[in-house]
Amino acid sequence: MGEQVPSPVQVRLDELHARVQLNCEGEVATYIPALGKADPALFGLALATHDGHVYESGDTGVGFTIQSVSKPFVYALALYDRGLNGVLERVGVEPTGEGFDALRLEPETGRPLNPMVNAGAIVTASLVNGDDWGQRFQRILDGLSAFAGRELRVDHEVLASEERTGDHNRALGYLLRNAGVLEGDVDKALAVYFRQCSVVVTARDLAVMGATLAGGGVNPVTGQRVVGADTTEHVLAVMATCGTYDFAGEWLLRAGLPAKSGVAGGLVAVLPSQLGIGVFSPPLDRRGTSVRAIAACQELSARFGLHLMRPVNRTAPVLHRFLRGDSLSSQRSRRHAEREILQANSGQIAICELQGDLGFAAADVAVRAIADGLDGVRWLVLDLHRVGRAEPVAVDLLDTLVGELRERGVGTAVAAEDGESPVIAEASFRSLDEALEWCEDALIAQECPPSERAGLDPAAHVPLGEQDLLRDLPAEMIDVLTPLVVERRLAPGEPLFEPGDRPDETLYFVVSGGLIAQQVSGDEVIRMASMGPGTTVTRLTLVDDRNPYRIVAEEPTVLQVLSQTVQKRLEDEHPQVVEALHWAMARGLAARLRQADAQNHALLGSAVPVER
Amino acid sequence: MGEQVPSPVQVRLDELHARVQLNCEGEVATYIPALGKADPALFGLALATHDGHVYESGDTGVGFTIQSVSKPFVYALALYDRGLNGVLERVGVEPTGEGFDALRLEPETGRPLNPMVNAGAIVTASLVNGDDWGQRFQRILDGLSAFAGRELRVDHEVLASEERTGDHNRALGYLLRNAGVLEGDVDKALAVYFRQCSVVVTARDLAVMGATLAGGGVNPVTGQRVVGADTTEHVLAVMATCGTYDFAGEWLLRAGLPAKSGVAGGLVAVLPSQLGIGVFSPPLDRRGTSVRAIAACQELSARFGLHLMRPVNRTAPVLHRFLRGDSLSSQRSRRHAEREILQANSGQIAICELQGDLGFAAADVAVRAIADGLDGVRWLVLDLHRVGRAEPVAVDLLDTLVGELRERGVGTAVAAEDGESPVIAEASFRSLDEALEWCEDALIAQECPPSERAGLDPAAHVPLGEQDLLRDLPAEMIDVLTPLVVERRLAPGEPLFEPGDRPDETLYFVVSGGLIAQQVSGDEVIRMASMGPGTTVTRLTLVDDRNPYRIVAEEPTVLQVLSQTVQKRLEDEHPQVVEALHWAMARGLAARLRQADAQNHALLGSAVPVER
């Protein structure tokens, strides 16, 4: 398929926009005269996702003054600059049950009840960093711009209109200074507030600003951190309880989205962690909220399932896979005796791959499942490669679990990005395969009878006659073969076989040391498998145009090599030896294939049952 | 490991309980005299998870009267019985900014402002189903019991005390009847309300009740549905804005958990989708909320990261795997020519496995990723086995996408539980493997040159000389072999090979029809692979004590069979034929092993990059 597929979300957003456009109720605000000129047909609807994708429908590029929608963002800046308690001293966080222009101040402290009513917003604007009012406004303008991800400006016509008609707000200013919560020149404080309200934004801007609150303060489009995650938690909580004044309760009940509206017809709504919605449509209801914004958000919430209190993600699987050693083994070529030990004791190794973000609930499910699933286990591989973010509580719970396991004789190997485990464990590795190999080595060392220990030692020297591939061949065949193989020595790092090579040799017996197989693609080298003394590398499994393997010595390594020329001679002189070799190779390959197929099946089918 | 591992969450909960126990501030309530007898040292803390696990610390089994903590649960019952609008007619949902005993009614409607203050709760109790007051109270007692998951009872001593000292509530009752929102006998309505407040619960009960709200109305311990998910959304929204009266704003800001407190020292807090917390400790602060409950919830929220507005789960991966046909192929044994077609065109097949619950955000990410990742694709496998719950919006978005793909010539095969796809697609199957086989068959049919089409037809007849295994053998070897193989016919469903069989035959050439390999464990039969005309089954890959394969004919099938006895004779008379056979088998096995290894690697390493 070459052609671009239209986005299903865009399709639905456009349909919804067309429906809501038909709603012509409400009146354009006139109490600031410059706003009265707005076209009541304008309607922009934008949705910005946590990963910075922005869907837009209608007039999402039309500028309008932000008005009260600025309040939560300036509150965020003040919280970020002053800290929660520094702001709470001057502005409360309780809903008023009254309108945006509520005069009521808290009797004991003189604080305005919350930062979403004008009185609270005027004090909040005075609390952002800045040595003077000019610097404070610049901080506000820069902050709003960072939330939006573009440079915003002030509409001076609306500003002049606001200033001419701002006497109620001036009265609030003097009441606030009288109560001791606003300091300095009231006119200058009001000038900052009026300019803040006159900043021009679009519905798209509001969506991105909302998504920045949703994402813990990082603008998902620009990647810039604007405020901290604690700050956005607090701002969203206040938007939830106070964002739409005396309509806050019913708004949260119906739309289920913390939100803030403005008198120019703008509205921002936020689903924490997920998305921001920006709406612009000038006609307002009697409480001063855009009629189409209310309709669009409630319908979006219902159709897209966005209610904050909705039960969702209960089944998001935190266990990607939870397997035992019988369904997954490392890519180390094992000797027959080692394979037998691993098979007989496969239940002693457990492999647990976690995934997703680990917050409390996910970590709780994970530690419970692990603790309940370790019957008979002595070694645990904990693979964290698929974990996005592990919150402190998750690291703490995993640390505690690993510590408890250690006391019970269970060793844990962690596989994590760059081998850097956030959890304290016995060992940590870059890959699941290496972690699993470590567990297998430990298991073999523990279970191996003393008599065989020497032969399974990775430092062992395994002469031709004791090689695994030849173990069923009669002694006279070994005697035929012995003078025909050639010794070859490799230094650490020396390649035996480069991608694309088609060498003359057909069989390599590892006598001592060890080889690793690497897959090379561009600069990337991936460790695919490893082979120790007593195992065999055959050209048969390596030569493939699609698999550019490199075989390289991991340490000083001695091989016995059978060349194709010698094999040809053998075919004429001792066909039964070649026949026996091929049969042994086929048998070995079949065994490995069975294991690989079983592993494939385990990997494909090992979905952890979804909780219902 | 045999010994039980202590739960890390339990360890942390006990530590927190011990710390908070030391807080001895607050006073036991005395306005209902019977409550004044409570032991101020009592402190129970319980946490119930979405999957019904309950952690308990301290006095979680001590009974106390539920008091105002009953309000959200009875509100849930009323909403469930009357519908949202039926209840909103009588009780508002706006925060009052006042205490539990607020007298204020809404001027225009006479409604109490919300159901969390006493006035609203008295009206709410009158709205649950029941022909008379006795039935209504029984409905409330049964409902609270269902929320708790056990049969609750009334404390008659506290009830008598409530009734003796309930004049403020009686006054509210008459004001409410005067305003026209409470109907019938005020004394009887109050009697229901007093009895509701006198129901005895424990901290554990409150945790389970909260978890029931968190989980959309299904009690996670008993599995019983108590109310609907729409109802719990509405109840939790009202708890968030009004649950702790004039402390609601600061509570939501600091703890970030919808909650409700009671004067006997109980408190329930809820993290939607995730958990319920129940606390009991009698000493109250000046606003009537348990001091230790506030401390415990705020500390739990901070330490466990439970704030409702916290940015979490942004990275939960919705794409489990997104592969192309070059890294995953079906378990159908393919003829050489088929394999060549599949290899040359592997980019035309895409396999997308989704996982987790699909709400809006997850489905949005999924449809975007799929649409962006289909360059050159003609067939898409959509595997939904790992999807827990697909919300309507997710099904709608996937349907739209599949429809758009269809118009662009991309066919979609869905793999889902029981083959029942919630998404409308070209085909649906029980397993990913069958869906993938369907795509491969379609690709082969499309790309196969007309000259070869007959040979690749699943209904083809492939004589010995054209069998894939023998294609490099010289004609004279085929001539040696032909009279030695024996024809065998199988009816549909007839087994060739039962688990554990060790038959005399070593090679089976499929001439026509088809075989499937099944893994049998207990009653469960899993389709592992399939083999059509021209492919070979060798005993070598089947005989393994650990893999109890059954090979069975899928349709009328003709085989050519080489027995061990004949092979022994061949070894003596024509060793070069046996040698060539073994070599061909080894080569075939090596190719399959390479493919299986590559597939394993793709499956192990195909983590979709986590979004940052």
Side-chain angles (χ1 to χ4, degrees):
Chain A
M1 197 198 65
E3 208 182 330
Q4 196 54 41
V5 187
S7 149
V9 174
Q10 185 67 51
V11 171
R12 290 291 171 267
L13 204 68
D14 288 340
E15 288 169 2
L16 196 151
H17 182 275
R19 267 196 308 278
V20 173
Q21 179 80 64
L22 301 176
N23 185 335
C24 293
E25 291 169 29
E27 300 289 336
V28 173
T30 52
Y31 88 101
I32 301 170
L35 295 180
K37 293 189 264 173
D39 177 357
L42 285 172
F43 177 30
L45 174 59
L47 189 157
T49 67
H50 61 89
D51 55 351
H53 193 87
V54 187
Y55 297 100
E56 299 181 57
S57 196
D59 307 310
T60 53
V62 175
F64 56 93
T65 52
I66 189 168
Q67 301 296 342
S68 291
V69 188
S70 62
K71 291 170 180 172
F73 300 100
V74 177
Y75 186 53
L77 298 174
L79 287 174
Y80 198 53
D81 289 351
R82 292 260 180 156
L84 178 60
N85 290 330
V87 176
L88 278 181
E89 277 172 19
R90 303 293 183 93
V91 186
V93 289
E94 295 306 326
T96 60
E98 298 176 34
F100 66 94
D101 50 359
L103 280 170
R104 188 151 63 111
L105 302 180
E106 206 176 54
E108 295 159 29
T109 61
R111 298 186 303 176
L113 266 72
N114 69 63
M116 299 295 125
V117 293
N118 290 3
I122 292 166
V123 178
T124 302
S126 78
L127 296 177
V128 301
N129 277 347
D131 292 336
D132 58 34
W133 295 105
Q135 285 185 8
R136 266 170 227 139
F137 178 69
Q138 195 57 47
R139 163 81 179 129
I140 289 173
L141 188 63
D142 291 346
L144 293 176
S145 298
F147 271 110
R150 70 177 184 101
E151 210 170 306
L152 302 177
R153 57 166 194 85
V154 168
D155 181 327
H156 288 281
E157 189 196 348
V158 174
L159 174 59
S161 191
E162 300 235 20
E163 285 180 334
R164 276 194 301 276
T165 56
D167 283 344
H168 188 271
N169 285 326
R170 284 192 190 93
L172 284 175
Y174 285 103
L175 285 171
L176 291 164
R177 194 168 69 179
N178 179 59
V181 290
L182 181 65
E183 285 170 8
D185 187 320
V186 170
D187 274 339
K188 288 188 174 159
L190 264 294
V192 168
Y193 177 67
F194 289 141
R195 294 183 75 188
Q196 160 188 331
C197 290
S198 304
V199 169
V200 176
V201 291
T202 65
R204 184 197 157 94
D205 290 333
L206 292 184
V208 174
M209 293 170 84
T212 304
L213 290 180
V218 175
N219 183 313
V221 176
T222 64
Q224 190 192 343
R225 174 164 291 287
V226 185
V227 294
D230 284 355
T231 293
T232 61
E233 280 178 35
H234 297 148
V235 172
L236 290 169
V238 175
M239 286 168 74
T241 52
C242 315
T244 45
Y245 316 121
D246 48 344
F247 182 49
E250 191 169 340
W251 171 269
L252 193 68
L253 176 116
R254 291 194 187 270
L257 298 166
K260 189 74 204 72
S261 58
V263 75
L267 183 141
V268 65
V270 180
L271 183 55
S273 308
Q274 299 201 12
L275 51 86
I277 297 169
V279 198
F280 166 55
S281 184
L284 309 182
D285 69 7
R286 61 182 177 82
R287 288 180 174 112
T289 304
S290 165
V291 171
R292 291 200 187 96
I294 294 176
C297 284
Q298 290 189 359
E299 195 173 332
L300 264 178
S301 175
R303 296 207 168 227
F304 285 8
L306 307 181
H307 200 292
L308 182 63
M309 304 301 178
R310 198 176 172 78
V312 289
N313 278 325
R314 290 165 62 201
T315 64
V318 55
L319 293 179
H320 177 71
R321 282 190 280 255
F322 194 12
L323 303 170
R324 285 291 176 99
D326 54 351
S327 33
L328 193 64
S329 45
S330 77
Q331 291 300 309
R332 173 137 184 111
S333 291
R334 296 286 179 187
R335 300 201 65 185
H336 183 75
E338 293 179 312
R339 284 204 304 272
E340 293 208 320
I341 291 171
L342 291 178
Q343 276 176 24
N345 300 282
S346 59
Q348 293 194 21
I349 295 177
I351 302 106
C352 182
E353 294 172 81
L354 302 182
Q355 69 183 3
D357 274 3
L358 296 187
F360 170 73
D364 170 46
V365 167
V367 297
R368 266 193 275 138
I370 297 171
D372 289 350
L374 294 188
D375 205 34
V377 165
R378 296 291 306 277
W379 289 277
L380 169 68
V381 175
L382 200 57
D383 187 342
L384 303 180
H385 278 99
R386 288 167 187 264
V387 170
R389 192 174 55 183
E391 298 203 19
V393 64
V395 174
D396 175 48
L397 293 179
L398 287 170
D399 269 343
T400 307
L401 176 72
V402 169
E404 299 282 358
L405 292 177
R406 189 179 302 123
E407 285 182 22
R408 282 156 187 79
V410 179
T412 302
V414 173
E417 190 103 6
D418 297 325
E420 284 165 18
S421 167
V423 177
I424 301 159
E426 275 66 43
S428 65
F429 298 93
R430 284 171 184 271
S431 70
L432 168 59
D433 191 53
E434 287 164 286
L436 190 49
E437 187 177 318
W438 180 84
C439 293
E440 290 173 352
D441 286 344
L443 172 60
I444 290 166
Q446 175 197 269
E447 296 292 334
C448 180
S451 59
E452 292 189 24
R453 210 156 280 169
L456 296 186
D457 186 346
H461 176 97
V462 182
L464 197 67
E466 291 170 23
Q467 289 281 326
D468 265 27
L469 185 72
L470 308 178
R471 77 197 152 84
D472 289 339
L473 263 64
E476 57 273 21
M477 287 197 185
I478 307 280
D479 291 342
V480 168
L481 208 57
T482 307
L484 298 176
V485 296
V486 181
E487 188 179 277
R488 182 130 157 230
R489 288 173 179 271
L490 297 174
E494 190 178 343
L496 170 64
F497 207 88
E498 285 287 356
D501 276 4
R502 294 187 169 270
D504 177 55
E505 293 94 5
T506 56
L507 265 177
Y508 307 86
F509 298 97
V510 183
V511 176
S512 65
L515 300 171
I516 50 174
Q518 298 172 331
Q519 190 163 28
V520 184
S521 53
D523 285 347
E524 203 186 26
V525 177
I526 303 165
R527 186 183 193 270
M528 296 286 288
S530 68
M531 292 138 287
T535 65
T536 315
V537 178
T538 94
R539 191 188 133 153
L540 209 54
T541 52
L542 294 174
V543 176
D544 180 345
D545 296 334
R546 291 184 307 142
N547 283 344
Y549 286 132
R550 168 191 289 153
I551 310 288
V552 62
E554 212 177 6
E555 48 196 307
T557 296
V558 179
L559 306 168
Q560 297 282 8
V561 181
L562 182 70
S563 71
Q564 235 169 335
T565 331
V566 171
Q567 191 184 315
K568 285 264 186 295
R569 222 168 68 211
L570 258 182
E571 275 171 29
D572 297 334
E573 296 169 13
H574 303 277
Q576 77 289 2
V577 173
V578 177
E579 158 68 17
L581 267 179
H582 283 167
W583 178 244
M585 280 164 61
R587 215 173 41 183
L589 288 167
R592 281 176 58 194
L593 181 60
R594 273 199 305 272
Q595 192 189 354
D597 276 347
Q599 192 149 317
N600 261 321
H601 206 73
L603 292 177
L604 272 173
S606 67
V608 174
V610 169
E611 301 157 45
R612 299 277 168 192
Chain B
M1 195 197 66
E3 206 183 332
Q4 196 53 42
V5 187
S7 148
V9 174
Q10 186 66 51
V11 170
R12 290 290 171 268
L13 204 68
D14 288 341
E15 287 168 4
L16 195 152
H17 182 275
R19 266 196 309 278
V20 173
Q21 178 80 64
L22 300 176
N23 184 336
C24 293
E25 291 169 28
E27 300 289 336
V28 173
T30 51
Y31 90 101
I32 301 170
L35 296 180
K37 292 189 266 173
D39 178 356
L42 285 172
F43 176 30
L45 174 59
L47 188 157
T49 67
H50 60 92
D51 56 350
H53 193 88
V54 186
Y55 298 99
E56 300 181 56
S57 196
D59 307 311
T60 54
V62 175
F64 56 94
T65 51
I66 189 168
Q67 301 295 344
S68 292
V69 187
S70 62
K71 291 170 180 173
F73 300 100
V74 176
Y75 184 54
L77 298 173
L79 287 174
Y80 198 52
D81 289 351
R82 293 261 179 156
L84 178 60
N85 291 330
V87 176
L88 278 182
E89 277 172 19
R90 304 293 183 94
V91 186
V93 290
E94 296 306 324
T96 60
E98 299 177 32
F100 66 93
D101 50 0
L103 280 172
R104 187 149 65 110
L105 303 181
E106 207 175 53
E108 296 158 30
T109 61
R111 298 186 303 177
L113 266 72
N114 70 64
M116 299 295 125
V117 293
N118 290 5
I122 291 166
V123 178
T124 302
S126 77
L127 297 177
V128 302
N129 278 346
D131 292 336
D132 59 31
W133 295 104
Q135 285 185 7
R136 267 169 225 139
F137 178 69
Q138 195 58 47
R139 163 79 180 131
I140 288 173
L141 187 62
D142 291 345
L144 293 175
S145 298
F147 271 112
R150 71 179 184 98
E151 211 170 303
L152 303 177
R153 55 165 196 84
V154 168
D155 181 326
H156 287 281
E157 190 196 347
V158 174
L159 174 59
S161 191
E162 300 235 19
E163 285 179 334
R164 274 194 303 276
T165 56
D167 283 344
H168 187 272
N169 286 326
R170 283 191 190 93
L172 285 175
Y174 284 103
L175 285 171
L176 291 164
R177 194 168 70 179
N178 178 59
V181 291
L182 181 65
E183 286 171 6
D185 187 319
V186 170
D187 273 340
K188 287 186 175 160
L190 264 294
V192 169
Y193 178 68
F194 290 141
R195 293 182 77 189
Q196 161 189 329
C197 291
S198 303
V199 169
V200 176
V201 291
T202 65
R204 184 198 157 93
D205 289 333
L206 292 185
V208 174
M209 294 170 83
T212 304
L213 290 181
V218 175
N219 183 314
V221 176
T222 64
Q224 190 193 342
R225 174 164 292 285
V226 185
V227 293
D230 284 355
T231 294
T232 62
E233 281 179 32
H234 297 148
V235 171
L236 290 168
V238 175
M239 286 168 74
T241 51
C242 315
T244 45
Y245 315 120
D246 48 343
F247 181 48
E250 190 169 341
W251 171 271
L252 193 67
L253 176 116
R254 290 192 188 272
L257 298 166
K260 189 72 203 76
S261 59
V263 75
L267 183 139
V268 65
V270 180
L271 183 56
S273 306
Q274 301 202 8
L275 51 86
I277 297 169
V279 200
F280 167 55
S281 184
L284 309 182
D285 69 8
R286 63 184 175 82
R287 288 182 175 110
T289 304
S290 165
V291 171
R292 290 199 188 97
I294 294 176
C297 284
Q298 291 190 358
E299 195 172 334
L300 264 178
S301 176
R303 293 204 170 232
F304 285 8
L306 307 181
H307 199 291
L308 183 63
M309 304 300 177
R310 199 173 171 80
V312 290
N313 276 326
R314 290 165 61 201
T315 63
V318 55
L319 293 179
H320 178 71
R321 281 189 282 256
F322 194 12
L323 303 171
R324 286 289 176 100
D326 54 351
S327 34
L328 192 64
S329 44
S330 77
Q331 292 299 308
R332 174 137 184 111
S333 291
R334 296 285 178 189
R335 299 201 65 185
H336 182 74
E338 293 179 312
R339 284 205 303 273
E340 292 206 324
I341 291 171
L342 291 177
Q343 277 175 24
N345 300 283
S346 59
Q348 293 194 22
I349 296 177
I351 302 105
C352 182
E353 294 173 81
L354 302 183
Q355 68 183 3
D357 273 5
L358 296 187
F360 170 73
D364 170 45
V365 168
V367 296
R368 265 194 276 140
I370 296 171
D372 289 349
L374 293 188
D375 205 34
V377 165
R378 298 288 308 275
W379 289 277
L380 169 68
V381 176
L382 200 57
D383 187 342
L384 303 180
H385 279 99
R386 289 167 186 264
V387 169
R389 191 175 54 184
E391 299 203 18
V393 64
V395 174
D396 175 48
L397 294 179
L398 287 171
D399 269 343
T400 308
L401 176 72
V402 169
E404 299 282 358
L405 291 177
R406 189 180 303 122
E407 286 182 22
R408 282 157 188 77
V410 179
T412 303
V414 173
E417 191 101 7
D418 296 326
E420 285 165 19
S421 168
V423 177
I424 301 159
E426 274 66 44
S428 64
F429 298 94
R430 285 170 183 271
S431 69
L432 168 59
D433 191 53
E434 286 163 286
L436 191 49
E437 190 178 315
W438 180 85
C439 293
E440 290 173 353
D441 286 345
L443 172 60
I444 290 166
Q446 175 196 270
E447 296 291 335
C448 181
S451 58
E452 292 190 24
R453 210 158 277 168
L456 297 185
D457 186 347
H461 176 95
V462 181
L464 197 68
E466 292 169 24
Q467 289 280 327
D468 265 28
L469 185 73
L470 307 179
R471 77 196 152 86
D472 289 340
L473 263 65
E476 58 270 24
M477 286 195 183
I478 307 279
D479 291 343
V480 170
L481 208 54
T482 306
L484 298 176
V485 296
V486 180
E487 189 179 274
R488 183 133 157 227
R489 286 173 181 271
L490 297 173
E494 190 180 343
L496 170 66
F497 207 88
E498 285 286 358
D501 276 4
R502 293 186 168 270
D504 177 55
E505 294 94 5
T506 54
L507 266 178
Y508 308 85
F509 299 96
V510 183
V511 175
S512 66
L515 301 171
I516 50 174
Q518 299 173 328
Q519 190 163 29
V520 184
S521 53
D523 287 346
E524 202 187 26
V525 177
I526 303 166
R527 185 184 194 269
M528 296 287 287
S530 67
M531 290 138 290
T535 64
T536 315
V537 178
T538 94
R539 188 188 136 154
L540 208 56
T541 52
L542 295 173
V543 177
D544 181 345
D545 297 335
R546 291 183 306 144
N547 283 345
Y549 287 131
R550 167 192 289 153
I551 309 288
V552 63
E554 215 178 5
E555 47 196 309
T557 297
V558 179
L559 305 169
Q560 297 282 11
V561 181
L562 182 70
S563 73
Q564 235 170 335
T565 331
V566 173
Q567 192 186 314
K568 284 265 185 296
R569 224 168 67 209
L570 258 182
E571 275 170 29
D572 297 333
E573 296 170 15
H574 302 278
Q576 75 289 5
V577 173
V578 177
E579 159 67 16
L581 268 179
H582 282 167
W583 179 244
M585 281 163 61
R587 216 174 39 181
L589 288 166
R592 282 177 57 193
L593 181 60
R594 273 199 304 272
Q595 191 188 356
D597 277 347
Q599 192 149 319
N600 260 322
H601 205 73
L603 292 177
L604 271 172
S606 69
V608 173
V610 169
E611 302 158 45
R612 300 277 168 193

